[in-house]
Amino acid sequence: MSNVRALFPDCAPPAAAQANDFDAFWHLYPRKVAKAHARSMWARLTSAERTAALAALPAHVAYWTARQTPPEHIPHAGTWLNPRTGRRWEDELPAADPAEDQRAERLRRMVDGAA
């Protein structure tokens, strides 16, 4: 099977492999809503797109975590994956601004101290 994939990289892998890859994606994705829609968007991706999305996901999760992005501001997984209108794994993440991070940390300390 690996020889076939080498010859035809954009051919869909067997359904079991797609399911395992989606399960790995879903496990890592922080916003757990509309799983059926996300699964259908996953099925529309080529194998190269699935690989790219999985590779990009940790950086996006780290960005959302570092910025303390509220869950409602994280796109639904189906939107993030949509091969026609989403492809959010290709978004360039802003570089960290050390001054902004320091201001945010000071603000967090002030809020924690007031509580």
Side-chain angles (χ1 to χ4, degrees):
M1 185 61 145
S2 62
N3 292 340
V4 172
R5 283 194 190 155
L7 293 172
F8 304 101
D10 288 336
C11 289
Q18 282 186 26
N20 289 340
D21 289 346
F22 176 78
D23 291 340
F25 168 81
W26 188 256
H27 177 73
L28 294 173
Y29 202 80
R31 189 167 184 195
K32 308 278 192 238
V33 295
K35 186 175 184 178
H37 181 250
R39 188 181 300 275
S40 71
M41 292 298 108
W42 183 263
R44 292 180 184 184
L45 299 176
T46 66
S47 61
E49 290 170 332
R50 280 189 223 107
T51 300
L54 277 173
L57 184 56
H60 285 256
V61 171
Y63 174 79
W64 294 322
T65 301
R67 298 285 187 235
Q68 297 181 345
T69 305
E72 63 271 13
H73 293 149
I74 295 172
H76 287 201
T79 301
W80 199 80
L81 290 170
N82 189 317
R84 293 188 68 202
T85 60
R87 300 178 64 92
R88 299 291 303 271
W89 68 86
E90 294 177 337
D91 289 356
E92 289 186 30
L93 298 174
D97 178 0
E100 179 182 311
D101 290 343
Q102 290 173 356
R103 286 191 298 272
E105 182 59 32
R106 281 196 306 270
L107 181 60
R108 276 193 289 277
R109 278 188 261 147
M110 287 172 36
V111 169
D112 290 343

